Amino acid sequence: MSHLRLGLTAAAIVLVGSASAQLSFTDVSASSGAGFTHNTGGMSNWDYMGGGVVADFDGDGYQDIFAMTGGANGVRDKLYINQQDGTFSDEASGWGLNAIHKGRGASVADFDDDGDLDLYVTSAGPAGGGSGVSGQHKLYRNDGGFFTDVAGPAGVNFTTTNGGGVDGDGNGSCWGDPDRDGDLDLFVAGFKNTNQGNRLFRNDGDGTFTDITVAIDLWGTTPISLKSFTPRFADMDGDGWPDLLIASDFGTNRYLKNDGDGTFTDVTDAGGLGAAENGMGGFVADWNNDGLRDWYVTSIWLPSFNWTGNKMHYNLGNHLYDEVSQAVGVHLGGYGWGTVGLDFNHDTRLDIVETNGDSGGFGQFSGEQSYLWLQNPDGTFTETAVAVGLAHYGRGRGLANLDIENDGDQDLVIFANDEPVTVWRNDLIVGTAGPNDNWLRVFLDTSADDALPPNGYHSEVWVTIGANSWMRPIDGGDNFLSMGELSAHFGLGPFTSIDELKVKWINGTETVLTDVAANQTLTIAAPGDTWTDLGNGKAGTGGITPALAGTGPLSDGSLNSLDLTDALAGSSTALVTGFSQLGAAFKGGVLVPNADIVIAGLPTGAGSFSLPFLWPSGVPAGISVYFQHWVSDIGGSFGFAASNGLQGTSN
């Protein structure tokens, strides 16, 4: 993998190549340390459950895994922190995740816009039996290395107000910004009658939420009772207002158009989206490469019941769709659950993976395999899961994608129901990309613009190479009780350089980078202030906290300066610079840039130090760089005092 490396006088992009590889998967559940057996211990619809999420919870640039255990036998949920060497360590207890409960589904978002990712978990209550009351769901606020459950005071611990039966309601959940106020709202899918468990919570921006389901008459144009599993907010028509898609059982899939005035209109039938007899999981992506988001929904293939399998809805524009699953060859999926659409073999075309299996009344689905459809040049798909080593059989439910080792290809976690949870490493790239296996992975940073939702939710990332263009959206929706990493991933085939990389933010602004090297992970910042004070300095002797400020435009060839003041006189300091940031709990939550560059031994003199530098030419706009000074302070408790963190964004 290559990285963008910035010196104080130069910038460089480095590309490393090797021989081409063939797509293959390896079950690394045991060796990675992230495998375990799920066991619900019993709940209503217990055989539907089994999920988790992937996210970089500790901010170290590597994806972590949260998985619900089901709560049986006194086992708490798992939080597998990525150890950056292909392995994981379960640190749930240290992060405060000690509840033993019957978890249903989970989703991830920075709901309080403080820079770290929070966790929402739907729950059927304590293990060992139903509680008979509502209010079991959990909103874990990430406090920099520790989760605090704030669901109760935030107002999102319930989805039914009448107790909801033995163990309440609530399946999948998703986050989005349908009102475009810059913070993320929450939708929770439910299975009970009269749509009571399907709730939309507006983020009020102060740590609390308001249930606006009735106030906006959300179900006023929906005459049926939903049996919902998998919701997702996505701007399907490109008007800047995210719509709401819900994969639901028993023929109750719903597609709600955002009217742009705080309300939604159900256009499911008019749009041609009501064909799935048993909607379970779903994913939104641009499979036919026309620049529009499509919707794939898993469903059951059982001709004896007239159940016609999965549905692929190709977007025709203006909320109209063409259902093409049989034409492209992805309808025969057995008893489908979680699904993901990604380019697993890096040939520039999006593929589909789906997990399956059931041991209920239809015995033919017991021990069924998971499926992987690779897209062919003509737009059809060929199923290849077992042939490429993705030999998973059983009761798969949730499904999440991640790049475990940051090597460029996408790996998988299959969350199962009362069976082992498995981790599958994609071995397409071993070390470095081959001549036909090139890639790009993009994360988005909206911290400089409060009007944009965190992590670039609802944005589109476009890559153009010659006459070819590909679009990947970042929507952060539910796959089925689960969710993958918040990145836009591109397989680039033989292309080692990108002519244009464009981010279309949900507010209509754009960030454009040119001549970008392949085979790297980039974080692109939204337009905003050149210099952002991130705070969180750490005081030294006598309460002295150094202060860091930046001046200059950070544009091609410009003169800029990093200015340290209020440091201990007569000390020395080290300037730490990096292209990502680490919230280091071991240093009291102080921001620490990942140390791409460290310049030590800088004298503070009377307590200040200024470092002028030329910003190199050719650095794309929107690249964020993080700075912090660590000043020697022999009398302090740590021996060092830390300045505030400082973010600089190139122009």
Side-chain angles (χ1 to χ4, degrees), residues 335-612:
Y335 206 111
W337 300 93
T339 184
V340 170
L342 290 166
D343 184 358
F344 290 102
N345 60 355
H346 291 189
D347 65 356
T348 77
R349 296 182 291 272
L350 288 179
D351 312 306
I352 300 171
V353 65
E354 171 185 319
T355 192
N356 294 274
D358 187 74
S359 60
F362 309 111
Q364 69 194 78
F365 300 115
S366 179
E368 185 186 7
Q369 72 167 84
S370 293
Y371 291 85
L372 172 62
W373 288 281
L374 298 181
Q375 188 173 172
N376 303 310
D378 64 358
T380 63
F381 292 78
T382 299
E383 204 290 306
T384 60
V386 175
V388 299
L390 188 61
H392 176 267
Y393 302 87
R395 299 164 59 90
R397 294 296 183 265
L399 183 67
N401 62 287
L402 75 164
D403 186 347
I404 295 173
E405 321 96 315
N406 286 356
D407 63 353
D409 51 27
Q410 288 285 305
D411 312 300
L412 293 168
V413 182
I414 299 178
F415 302 101
N417 175 257
D418 280 17
E419 286 187 354
V421 171
T422 51
V423 182
W424 298 84
R425 187 186 65 214
N426 185 342
D427 293 324
L428 179 70
I429 295 176
V430 180
T432 55
N436 294 306
D437 306 320
N438 299 292
W439 57 275
L440 184 74
R441 181 170 171 239
V442 178
F443 292 89
L444 300 180
D445 176 5
T446 58
S447 58
D449 189 340
D450 290 338
L452 287 171
N455 301 103
Y457 264 69
H458 312 309
S459 300
E460 296 176 355
V461 182
W462 288 75
V463 160
T464 298
I465 303 174
N468 304 294
S469 291
W470 302 275
M471 184 272 287
R472 305 286 185 260
I474 294 182
D475 291 315
D478 193 353
N479 305 335
F480 179 85
L481 310 181
S482 54
M483 177 176 156
E485 66 175 43
L486 283 166
S487 71
H489 172 268
F490 296 83
L492 299 177
F495 301 111
T496 60
S497 180
I498 296 157
D499 296 334
E500 180 182 87
L501 173 60
K502 178 186 295 185
V503 180
K504 295 183 179 180
W505 307 96
I506 190 64
N507 65 359
T509 61
E510 295 182 353
T511 298
V512 179
L513 290 69
T514 58
D515 298 324
V516 177
N519 304 318
Q520 61 176 323
T521 296
L522 288 176
T523 297
I524 301 177
D529 294 336
T530 300
W531 298 100
T532 303
D533 182 355
L534 300 172
N536 291 330
K538 191 166 189 66
T541 299
I544 295 176
T545 304
L548 180 61
T551 57
L554 294 183
S555 56
D556 282 2
S558 65
L559 180 63
N560 303 268
S561 182
L562 292 168
D563 303 313
L564 179 71
T565 57
D566 299 332
L568 182 67
S571 59
S572 64
T573 182
L575 174 65
V576 181
T577 305
F579 290 94
S580 58
Q581 55 176 302
L582 168 64
F586 61 90
K587 295 188 182 298
V590 174
L591 172 113
V592 179
N594 281 316
D596 294 310
I597 301 168
V598 178
I599 304 176
L602 303 174
T604 63
S608 62
F609 182 84
S610 292
L611 180 63

Side-chain angles (χ1 to χ4, degrees), residues 281-302:
F283 200 83
V284 170
D286 180 16
W287 276 279
N288 62 348
N289 200 39
D290 63 357
L292 300 173
R293 289 166 166 90
D294 310 309
W295 188 27
Y296 177 74
V297 178
T298 61
S299 190
I300 303 172
W301 169 258
L302 193 63

Side-chain angles (χ1 to χ4, degrees), residues 253-326:
N253 277 5
R254 290 293 99 180
Y255 179 102
L256 277 66
K257 175 178 71 71
N258 190 332
D259 296 325
D261 60 1
T263 66
F264 294 81
T265 299
D266 188 337
V267 296
T268 309
D269 296 332
L273 294 156
E277 296 88 5
N278 306 96
M280 304 292 193
F283 200 83
V284 170
D286 180 16
W287 276 279
N288 62 348
N289 200 39
D290 63 357
L292 300 173
R293 289 166 166 90
D294 310 309
W295 188 27
Y296 177 74
V297 178
T298 61
S299 190
I300 303 172
W301 169 258
L302 193 63
S304 60
F305 276 63
N306 294 318
W307 292 347
T308 56
N310 304 322
K311 303 302 172 194
M312 172 63 86
H313 303 287
Y314 277 175
N315 193 336
L316 303 176
N318 198 30
H319 301 293
L320 298 175
Y321 292 82
D322 187 14
E323 202 290 293
V324 298
S325 58
Q326 293 195 37

Side-chain angles (χ1 to χ4, degrees), residues 120 123 134-139 149 151-159 201:
Y120 186 73
S123 175
S134 60
Q136 306 299 320
H137 305 328
K138 306 175 190 309
L139 176 59
D149 184 5
V156 294
N157 59 325
F158 65 93
T159 48
F201 296 94

Side-chain angles (χ1 to χ4, degrees), residues 37-340:
T37 298
H38 175 271
N39 190 334
T40 62
M43 67 176 87
S44 63
N45 304 126
W46 64 270
D47 51 336
Y48 296 168
M49 302 307 142
V53 297
V54 165
D56 182 6
F57 289 114
D58 59 357
D60 66 352
Y62 285 78
Q63 300 295 308
D64 311 307
I65 303 170
F66 168 79
M68 288 161 290
T69 66
N73 303 316
V75 179
R76 61 173 175 260
D77 293 338
K78 305 289 187 180
L79 181 64
Y80 292 113
I81 298 298
N82 195 322
Q83 302 300 294
Q84 305 184 15
D85 60 0
T87 68
F88 295 84
S89 173
D90 182 10
E91 300 180 16
S93 182
W95 280 67
L97 297 178
N98 294 309
I100 299 172
H101 70 112
K102 296 179 287 189
R104 291 179 178 272
S107 59
V108 168
D110 181 5
F111 84 89
D112 52 358
D113 200 12
D114 66 349
D116 48 29
L117 290 167
D118 311 299
L119 176 64
Y120 186 73
V121 180
T122 56
S123 175
S131 63
V133 297
S134 60
Q136 306 299 320
H137 305 328
K138 306 175 190 309
L139 176 59
Y140 290 115
R141 185 186 66 212
N142 189 338
D143 292 325
F146 190 85
F147 281 120
T148 303
D149 184 5
V150 296
V156 294
N157 59 325
F158 65 93
T159 48
T160 52
T161 56
N162 65 347
V166 174
D167 44 27
D169 197 8
N171 288 319
S173 60
C174 70
W175 298 83
D177 189 16
D179 54 5
R180 285 187 46 177
D181 64 353
D183 53 29
L184 291 170
D185 308 311
L186 172 67
F187 182 85
V188 184
F191 208 75
K192 304 298 183 184
N193 291 328
T194 69
N195 296 333
Q196 287 188 25
N198 290 280
R199 317 301 293 181
L200 176 57
F201 296 94
R202 183 191 66 215
N203 190 333
D204 294 328
D206 58 0
T208 67
F209 293 76
T210 298
D211 182 351
I212 61 172
T213 313
V214 175
I216 67 171
D217 196 19
L218 184 61
W219 306 118
T221 56
T222 299
I224 60 176
S225 179
L226 308 187
K227 300 291 187 179
S228 300
F229 284 125
T230 305
R232 180 178 290 256
F233 285 110
D235 181 14
M236 302 300 289
D237 63 346
D239 66 353
W241 295 93
D243 309 296
L244 178 58
L245 291 67
I246 312 170
S248 305
D249 207 351
F250 303 114
T252 66
N253 277 5
R254 290 293 99 180
Y255 179 102
L256 277 66
K257 175 178 71 71
N258 190 332
D259 296 325
D261 60 1
T263 66
F264 294 81
T265 299
D266 188 337
V267 296
T268 309
D269 296 332
L273 294 156
E277 296 88 5
N278 306 96
M280 304 292 193
F283 200 83
V284 170
D286 180 16
W287 276 279
N288 62 348
N289 200 39
D290 63 357
L292 300 173
R293 289 166 166 90
D294 310 309
W295 188 27
Y296 177 74
V297 178
T298 61
S299 190
I300 303 172
W301 169 258
L302 193 63
S304 60
F305 276 63
N306 294 318
W307 292 347
T308 56
N310 304 322
K311 303 302 172 194
M312 172 63 86
H313 303 287
Y314 277 175
N315 193 336
L316 303 176
N318 198 30
H319 301 293
L320 298 175
Y321 292 82
D322 187 14
E323 202 290 293
V324 298
S325 58
Q326 293 195 37
V328 300
V330 296
H331 61 299
L332 293 173
Y335 206 111
W337 300 93
T339 184
V340 170

